[in-house]
Amino acid sequence: MEKALPTAMMRYTIVSTAYRLFAGTFLVVINWQIATAEGGGYWRLVVSTLLSYLPALAVPLVLRRITISGQLLSVLSLLYVAMIAFVVSFLVENPTGLVVANLFMWIGFFSLEASWESWFNEEKRRQDVSWASSVTMSANQAALMIGPLLAPVIIGLVGTRGIVQALTAGFVLVAAFSWPGAGAAAVPATADEPEAEAEAEAAAGPPVKPAAPRRLIATFALVWPVLGAFNLMLPLQVSDRGAGLVAVAVVDACLGIGVIVSGVLSARTRLSSPTLSKLVIACTVLGGVLWALPTGGAAVIAMALSTFALGTGFGALRIALREYTATHHDSAVTGHAVALGNATAIPVLAVVFLVLGAAQPLVWIAPFVLVLVMSYSFQGCRTWIASLKI
């Protein structure tokens, strides 16, 4: 029997997907501008990437003191992102200005990453968590795939400043449709939560927010390093191999296609922990081998297949992570784990970039290794080692 998302979750899926479409387009445009600017290169993009993670240090402290819902926090963060994007539209020819503006933009991005997860958890009583996680993750990744593909075409029509201004309007529209009063209904009390119990909980006062498990924080701490390392190496590697922005968009899109494939697989079948580990390991190793192939006329094809394999393994891991947090933890713990994980991502990325700075041609290996480490962290030592046995 075909499953369907409830109205509230459908709304969440649509607005979060639209946000990914605009955010993915914005990032590929800005990173390409920084990487290809005169006098640019590895270290400028490294500085930009590391600076963009500094706000993650403050976000956990702020979110721990915020009592508004994840949905309302998403709205406020979207409006902030729109404001910064408007400023960025006037700095597209200034690489130094882009690096600074990108820093402020990521305050909103990190806040949104935590708020989207919290909002998802707020809706989890309305649907099968596994199915909803797969559908929303697949839709989000489809948007991240389409955005970079459209970027070269739109830039050809309206220019770089024009596309950033269009993205500004897009963020504002997403905020408007995300507003709690725009068709959203409160979650009604369920049969197993009678009014007497709800009144007793209210009389007891607000509960103390529980701390997130360390293993969960460690796993979330590797989500952004994977994406950050990928976003760093992609324009550098593609330009070094003689290709342009269109090739960047195609290779980046294949990462999203891989995540979509993993979402379809996860939606149709529940993967056991050993099976999930084997899938992640096999896809990641295959992707690394394909990227390491000698460059030539088929370089873009090899890179595309490589990122597809990486996306499949990484996507399956993220879907399983979202399902686990929604099933075993409430929205407060999830938001806390995401925020602390984002903060921990800074030293992880710094170490990775500094080590690879001495061997820049090998920068491509970072996202593949980080996915394997993320799988180890999430699955645990015993399951992960067992998955290595044939």
Side-chain angles (χ1 to χ4, degrees), residues 13-15 20 27 64 77 104 108 137 262 264 297 314-315 358 374:
T13 301
I14 292 173
V15 295
R20 302 288 181 183
L27 288 176
R64 290 288 284 180
S77 300
F104 287 94
M137 187 71 74
S262 67
V264 173
F314 182 55
M374 183 179 171

Side-chain angles (χ1 to χ4, degrees), residues 249-310:
V250 170
V251 176
D252 186 55
C254 287
L255 183 80
I257 294 174
V259 174
I260 293 173
V261 169
S262 67
V264 173
L265 292 175
S266 298
R268 293 186 175 275
T269 179
R270 290 181 180 274
L271 300 177
S272 64
S273 291
T275 301
L276 175 65
S277 292
K278 291 176 182 177
L279 175 65
V280 173
I281 294 170
C283 289
T284 306
V285 172
L286 175 61
V289 171
L290 287 171
W291 196 282
L293 291 176
T295 58
V300 174
I301 296 177
M303 289 188 293
L305 292 174
S306 172
T307 56
F308 169 78
L310 177 67

Side-chain angles (χ1 to χ4, degrees), residues 337-358:
V338 171
L340 285 179
N342 289 341
T344 310
I346 298 176
V348 173
L349 271 177
V351 171
V352 170
F353 292 163
L354 289 175
V355 170
L356 293 176

Side-chain angles (χ1 to χ4, degrees), residues 50-389:
L50 290 178
L51 284 178
S52 68
Y53 280 83
L54 286 179
L57 295 174
V59 168
L61 300 177
V62 174
L63 292 184
R64 290 288 284 180
R65 291 166 173 78
I66 289 180
T67 57
I68 61 177
S69 68
Q71 184 176 1
L72 183 56
L73 180 59
S74 296
V75 172
L76 298 177
S77 300
L78 283 164
L79 293 175
Y80 171 84
V81 164
M83 179 184 66
I84 300 300
F86 182 73
V87 174
V88 168
S89 67
F90 296 97
L91 301 173
V92 292
E93 301 299 332
N94 185 339
T96 301
L98 286 178
V99 171
V100 175
N102 196 42
L103 165 64
F104 287 94
M105 174 62 89
W106 277 88
I107 296 176
F109 283 166
F110 278 121
S111 178
L112 279 163
E113 287 309 308
S115 68
W116 288 129
E117 294 296 332
S118 294
W119 185 359
F120 180 85
N121 272 267
E122 290 163 7
E123 303 291 348
K124 68 183 180 182
R125 282 185 291 176
R126 306 187 185 204
Q127 71 289 308
D128 175 70
V129 172
S130 177
W131 173 260
S133 178
S134 299
V135 172
T136 54
M137 187 71 74
S138 297
N140 288 176
Q141 289 301 322
L144 286 173
M145 172 190 71
I146 295 171
L149 286 174
L150 294 177
V153 178
I154 299 175
I155 290 175
L157 295 175
V158 300
T160 304
R161 176 174 296 177
I163 191 175
V164 177
Q165 290 177 340
L167 293 172
T168 300
F171 288 130
V172 173
L173 285 175
V174 175
F177 284 110
S178 300
W179 189 260
V187 180
T190 57
D192 57 346
E193 291 178 336
E195 293 183 4
E197 182 179 344
E199 292 176 358
E201 291 179 355
V208 178
K209 290 185 177 181
R214 292 180 181 178
R215 181 170 69 91
L216 195 60
I217 295 173
T219 305
F220 275 115
L222 293 170
V223 173
W224 280 109
V226 171
L227 297 173
F230 179 79
N231 289 333
L232 171 79
M233 73 90 168
L234 185 58
L236 295 173
Q237 287 279 295
V238 170
S239 60
D240 286 346
R241 297 186 181 191
L245 183 58
V246 174
V248 171
V250 170
V251 176
D252 186 55
C254 287
L255 183 80
I257 294 174
V259 174
I260 293 173
V261 169
S262 67
V264 173
L265 292 175
S266 298
R268 293 186 175 275
T269 179
R270 290 181 180 274
L271 300 177
S272 64
S273 291
T275 301
L276 175 65
S277 292
K278 291 176 182 177
L279 175 65
V280 173
I281 294 170
C283 289
T284 306
V285 172
L286 175 61
V289 171
L290 287 171
W291 196 282
L293 291 176
T295 58
V300 174
I301 296 177
M303 289 188 293
L305 292 174
S306 172
T307 56
F308 169 78
L310 177 67
T312 302
F314 182 55
L317 196 55
R318 287 200 69 188
I319 290 171
L321 177 61
R322 169 175 279 187
E323 178 184 350
Y324 175 83
T325 55
T327 303
H328 295 83
H329 302 287
D330 61 21
S331 60
V333 172
T334 300
H336 186 215
V338 171
L340 285 179
N342 289 341
T344 310
I346 298 176
V348 173
L349 271 177
V351 171
V352 170
F353 292 163
L354 289 175
V355 170
L356 293 176
Q360 295 180 23
L362 295 178
V363 67
W364 61 268
I365 202 172
F368 298 96
V369 172
L370 288 172
V371 168
L372 292 177
V373 176
M374 183 179 171
S375 174
Y376 174 88
S377 173
F378 177 59
Q379 299 294 333
C381 179
R382 183 177 303 174
T383 300
W384 203 81
I385 292 176
S387 70
L388 297 177
K389 299 179 181 179

